[in-house]
Amino acid sequence: TMGIQSDVSYNNVLVMASCASFSSKQTRRVETWIARQNVRGDPSNLRMLLLSSLAVAPQARNDIEMKESIANLFDIMLVAGTNNTLCIELIAAKIAYWWDSRYMNEMSAATHPIQRVTTMSSFLISSNLCFEVQSLPNKEISAIFDLFVTDLPAKLALLCQTWKISDDISNRATRLCKDATDKKKACLQKIIQLLDGGGE
């Protein structure tokens, strides 16, 4: 089997992402590598990054690890940028899995107006999603991530409030928003609005 100390590359990232559950250190290494890659170029590399994101996304073990992972990915975006990386998509996939695994829909309904949190992506969540979609074309895999990103702002805002990191994430998102474009800029703007106390 591939050791934890192996260098991550396009040739092995999917395997290492699938095995990340064995080590929180391995999870962080794979996430960080995926988040730093420039997605402009070879479509096969983009496909591998998307599938690997689906494989590593469910691997968080507890609130502390999840909170640190999200903060780390936002920090990576501050260096690597948002437009040519999959940082936002990876965060969105992680939040979608975490939300579903912790039955957050029930908590949202009890503490917030239900319309604040969309849940379309929850219908797609399964522990084997990475392998279930491998036969799909790139366009359809990207469409799955579009649903994750659409659901991200409200879910992330509620989790940040729970974890008491709203100000930190809002500050990072505000800095990122200056250079972001299109859907990613709109997503960041919505995150900032909700973290700063705005509604729908």
Side-chain angles (χ1 to χ4, degrees), residues 3-194:
I4 289 175
Q5 298 306 316
S6 299
D7 290 334
V8 186
S9 70
Y10 281 107
N11 292 327
N12 64 24
V13 63
L14 183 56
V15 173
M16 295 186 79
S18 301
C19 297
S21 59
F22 297 121
S23 163
S24 58
K25 183 178 179 181
Q26 173 80 338
T27 301
R28 182 64 62 85
R29 287 180 67 237
V30 173
E31 286 180 357
T32 298
W33 188 87
I34 292 171
R36 287 176 175 166
Q37 302 310 302
N38 190 310
V39 298
R40 302 293 184 189
D42 190 343
S44 65
N45 285 346
L46 172 60
R47 181 181 182 85
M48 187 58 64
L49 291 172
L50 290 172
L51 291 173
S52 300
S53 296
L54 289 177
V56 79
Q59 307 297 354
R61 296 152 188 80
N62 54 58
D63 279 357
I64 293 175
E65 186 176 322
M66 185 67 176
K67 179 171 64 173
E68 291 177 349
S69 172
I70 298 303
N72 178 60
L73 291 171
F74 268 91
D75 285 340
I76 290 172
M77 273 195 285
L78 288 171
V79 177
T82 60
N83 300 319
N84 295 328
T85 68
L86 289 179
C87 283
I88 285 181
E89 288 83 353
L90 178 54
I91 291 170
K94 287 178 65 69
I95 293 294
Y97 273 99
W98 187 258
W99 187 274
D100 194 68
S101 68
R102 294 303 187 271
Y103 304 103
M104 293 295 293
N105 286 329
E106 287 83 349
M107 186 179 112
S108 171
T111 60
H112 293 270
I114 191 64
Q115 65 268 22
R116 284 191 61 186
V117 180
T118 57
T119 57
M120 284 300 297
S121 60
S122 294
F123 292 107
L124 301 171
I125 293 298
S126 79
S127 59
N128 295 315
L129 183 59
C130 169
F131 303 101
E132 292 168 355
V133 302
Q134 285 195 17
S135 62
L136 295 178
N138 290 358
K139 185 176 181 179
E140 293 187 27
I141 296 175
S142 294
I144 292 172
F145 278 87
D146 286 343
L147 287 176
F148 291 156
V149 172
T150 297
D151 287 358
L152 174 62
K155 291 179 177 180
L156 179 61
L158 182 55
L159 288 169
C160 285
Q161 179 182 343
T162 302
W163 295 331
K164 302 186 186 310
I165 58 170
S166 297
D167 290 345
D168 289 341
I169 298 301
S170 178
N171 178 269
R172 289 171 169 87
T174 299
R175 292 160 64 189
L176 289 165
C177 204
K178 296 174 183 177
D179 297 318
T181 59
D182 302 328
K183 292 180 181 179
K184 295 189 178 185
K185 186 178 187 72
C187 179
L188 288 166
Q189 287 174 332
K190 192 62 179 177
I191 288 170
I192 296 164
Q193 177 189 359
L194 292 173

